[in-house]
Amino acid sequence: MRTRLAALLAVAVVGLAGCGGDSEDAGAPQASASGSGVTGDVTVFAAASLTEPFTQIGKDFEAANPGTKLTFNFAGSSQLATQINEGAPADLFAAASPATMKTVTDAGNGDGTPVTFVKNQLVIAVPKGNPNGVTGLADFTKPGVKVALCAEQVPCGAAAKKALDAAGVKLTPVTLEQDVKAALSKVKLGEVDAALVYRTDAKASASDVDGVEFPESAGAINDYPMVVLKNAPNKTAAQAFATYVQSDLGKAVLTAAGFQAP
């Protein structure tokens, strides 16, 4: 009897152990391919001035989260806001000014409160070597000096107007561009002698242009807010990307590009 009882107990213990193992496997969270549960496509609408750092941060984010794919639409913030409000599919919006962001949130297209993640400041972009000797905004009115600005509805244009008003400088630019990259390209192509652009854009094109600092820019600094969008197809991954942008890794890329802390 003792031998039979011992055998029965042994069978019972083995059976319980097997059940316990199955239960643990069923209840434990399963690791995803990304290691963080973040997968899928993420479409980010971002101000043109974020092109270089966001492209790098996007690559870093994809490497940290296998199974994700970032697609960027870089353009003037006002243009992007219009596209979003007209129903363009996107997960996250990063604008170059709170005023532009407000047009999206006022239309009910933001999911939550926008977060300011960096600031940016204007400089005067001139051809390498500064052949016209431009040292400040007053030099824009010198005979023969051709200037490119962003259109006023674009954040870089609104900041430029504020700086020019503060300096008391009145001028008629030879061109008004829809984003800061377009204004900068006019200098790089030799079509103008100077343009008001963000410090970050001048730094990204340091091989082609010089950036001239001017005091009035301190009163025309732009905050950059971002928000996950209400109708985002992939809100979870969009929020993960926004968090990554604000992480130490994201901040390092943005700082290296010349952006300032919020």
Side-chain angles (χ1 to χ4, degrees):
M1 285 295 293
R2 280 197 290 268
T3 301
R4 184 179 179 187
L5 181 58
L8 289 172
L9 287 172
V11 171
V13 169
V14 170
L16 287 172
C19 291
D22 291 343
S23 176
E24 183 179 354
D25 289 343
Q30 300 299 307
S32 70
S34 69
S36 64
V38 178
T39 59
D41 296 337
V42 184
T43 300
V44 177
F45 279 30
S49 50
L50 290 165
T51 300
E52 289 83 10
F54 262 33
T55 298
Q56 182 59 55
I57 293 173
K59 291 177 181 177
D60 296 341
F61 180 79
E62 288 174 345
N65 297 275
T68 58
K69 173 63 178 176
L70 272 291
T71 299
F72 292 101
N73 179 14
F74 295 112
S77 294
S78 58
Q79 179 183 344
L80 296 174
T82 298
Q83 292 174 7
I84 291 168
N85 288 339
E86 289 179 349
D91 296 288
L92 182 77
F93 179 39
S97 76
T100 309
M101 176 61 74
K102 191 173 185 293
T103 65
V104 170
T105 55
D106 281 355
N109 290 321
D111 184 23
T113 303
V115 176
T116 298
F117 62 102
V118 285
K119 295 176 181 287
N120 211 350
Q121 194 165 345
L122 296 176
V123 297
I124 302 169
V126 297
K128 291 298 290 184
N130 194 6
N132 287 285
V134 175
T135 59
L137 297 180
D139 293 328
F140 284 4
T141 60
K142 287 181 177 179
V145 174
K146 295 178 289 185
V147 178
L149 299 176
C150 294
E152 284 187 27
Q153 68 268 25
V154 182
C156 64
K161 183 180 186 303
K162 191 173 182 179
L164 289 165
D165 288 347
V169 174
K170 305 290 184 182
L171 79 152
T172 301
V174 297
T175 181
L176 290 171
E177 301 297 330
Q178 292 304 307
D179 66 63
V180 69
K181 295 293 187 187
L184 181 64
S185 71
K186 297 298 182 180
V187 180
K188 294 166 72 173
L189 293 170
E191 297 179 11
V192 299
D193 303 301
L196 281 180
V197 304
Y198 293 122
R199 179 183 290 162
T200 53
D201 293 291
K203 184 173 183 177
S205 298
S207 60
D208 299 307
V209 303
D210 289 332
V212 178
E213 300 282 346
F214 61 98
E216 294 84 1
S217 68
I221 295 175
N222 277 11
D223 291 338
Y224 280 52
M226 65 179 167
V227 71
V228 174
L229 296 170
K230 180 181 178 181
N231 296 320
N234 194 348
K235 285 187 180 180
T236 299
Q239 184 56 62
F241 179 71
T243 300
Y244 192 91
V245 169
Q246 298 172 82
S247 71
D248 289 343
L249 293 172
K251 288 176 182 177
V253 175
L254 290 162
T255 299
F259 286 94
Q260 303 168 31

